[in-house]
């Protein structure tokens, strides 16, 4: 059942994001054809980079909206009728997001590097090597899930609560990082923080869930 849930989550995300990923490829092919072997246009390069950033922001918005609607709106009643535990629900959402993001990271990195701007890409869109990138994305995703779940405890102001929770979580986690001093490798703090966020989210969903 978990694999079916994972497949459903992947399809649902793809339905929203795949058109924009395809548009990114089409734009790259179009501008490459227009260039026709000439020197790479800086305007084209800048447009591609900012389009990548826009897709990332859109992806984050879609991911967070799906998490909120699947668990805390009317759809939540259907979600929890499935013979799947809360742990599996959150894991399926997280893994599907991670897969989609890694695929887009690989696609965009390949396209941008083909234009000779991989260094620019690394500075603005990557957090290091692939392992650190995956861990960092995992931490961001699970931290956002936890913030949304905590925010819903303020039943009358869930969005405000989520924003406030996200700020507090950032202060908490980065205070620990500054005290311990483990900033050289993302996975040194990213892995344990991700586990904390995942466990806390699942426990709150199981014990404190109130649907709107």
């Amino acid at each position: 059942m978990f694999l079916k849930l994972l497949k459903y989550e992947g399809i649902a995300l793809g339905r929203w994001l795949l058109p924009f990923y395809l548009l990114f490829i089409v734009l790259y092919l179009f501008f490459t054809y227009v260039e026709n072997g000439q020197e790479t246009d800086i305007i084209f390069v800048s447009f591609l980079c900012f389009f990548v950033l826009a897709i990332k922001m859109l992806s984050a918005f879609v991911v967070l909206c799906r998490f909120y609607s699947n668990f805390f709106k009317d759809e939540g009643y259907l979600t929890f009728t499935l013979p799947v535990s809360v742990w599996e629900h959150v894991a399926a959402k997280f893994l599907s997001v991670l897969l989609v993001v890694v695929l887009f990271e690989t696609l965009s990195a390949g396209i941008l590097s083909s234009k000779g701007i991989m260094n620019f890409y690394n500075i603005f869109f990557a957090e290091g090597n692939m392992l650190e990138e995956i861990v960092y994305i995992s931490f961001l995703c699970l931290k956002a899930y936890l913030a949304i779940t905590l925010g819903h405890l303020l039943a009358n102001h869930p969005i405000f609560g989520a924003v406030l929770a996200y700020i507090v979580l950032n202060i908490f986690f980065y205070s620990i990082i500054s005290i311990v001093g483990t900033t050289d490798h993302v996975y040194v703090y990213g892995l344990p923080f991700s586990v904390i966020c995942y466990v806390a989210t699942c426990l709150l969903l199981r014990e404190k869930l109130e649907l709107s």
Side-chain angles (χ1 to χ4, degrees):
M1 186 64 188
F2 174 74
L3 293 179
K4 291 183 179 179
L5 186 61
L6 186 62
K7 177 183 177 181
Y8 168 78
E9 287 296 332
I11 292 174
L13 276 178
R15 188 179 300 117
W16 281 94
L17 299 178
L18 186 59
F20 295 96
Y21 293 173
L22 293 176
L23 177 60
F24 176 62
I25 296 175
V26 169
L27 287 174
Y28 164 72
L29 294 176
F30 172 75
F31 282 111
T32 301
Y33 174 78
V34 171
E35 284 180 347
N36 194 24
Q38 299 178 9
E39 185 177 352
T40 301
D41 189 351
I42 187 62
I43 297 179
F44 162 56
V45 170
S46 300
F47 179 79
L48 273 184
C49 291
F50 284 110
F51 193 75
V52 168
L53 180 59
I55 291 180
K56 288 192 174 189
M57 295 174 64
L58 174 67
S59 300
F61 178 77
V62 170
V63 166
L64 298 181
C65 284
R66 279 194 52 76
F67 181 83
Y68 181 76
S69 63
N70 288 165
F71 285 116
F72 300 111
K73 303 302 287 184
D74 292 341
E75 191 176 340
Y77 292 102
L78 176 62
T79 297
F80 288 101
T81 59
L82 299 174
V84 182
S85 68
V86 171
W87 305 87
E88 291 175 302
H89 273 298
V90 177
K93 287 190 174 298
F94 162 66
L95 291 176
S96 62
V97 169
L98 190 62
L99 177 61
V100 169
V101 170
V102 169
L103 287 175
F104 180 68
E105 288 284 342
T106 304
L107 171 66
S108 57
I111 288 179
L112 293 176
S113 62
S114 70
K115 307 306 294 182
I117 53 172
M118 195 58 199
N119 289 335
F120 182 87
Y121 175 82
N122 281 333
I123 292 173
F124 287 96
F125 299 112
E127 297 296 330
N129 60 42
M130 181 58 72
L131 176 60
E132 291 189 342
E133 178 76 1
I134 291 174
V135 172
Y136 185 70
I137 292 170
S138 301
F139 176 44
L140 289 180
C141 179
L142 292 169
K143 182 172 62 174
Y145 284 175
L146 178 56
I148 292 174
T149 306
L150 287 170
H152 198 73
L153 296 178
L154 295 177
N156 295 327
H157 306 283
I159 296 178
F160 171 76
V163 173
L164 180 62
Y166 190 82
I167 294 173
V168 172
L169 287 173
N170 273 324
I171 295 174
F172 171 73
F173 285 125
Y174 287 108
S175 295
I176 295 177
I177 293 173
S178 64
I179 293 173
V180 178
T182 56
T183 58
D184 292 337
H185 300 287
V186 173
Y187 49 79
V188 173
Y189 64 85
L191 284 176
F193 286 174
S194 297
V195 172
I196 291 172
C197 291
Y198 172 72
V199 173
T201 300
C202 292
L203 290 176
L204 286 169
L205 285 173
R206 190 178 65 180
E207 303 296 337
K208 300 292 185 180
L209 180 64
E210 293 183 6
L211 300 177
S212 299

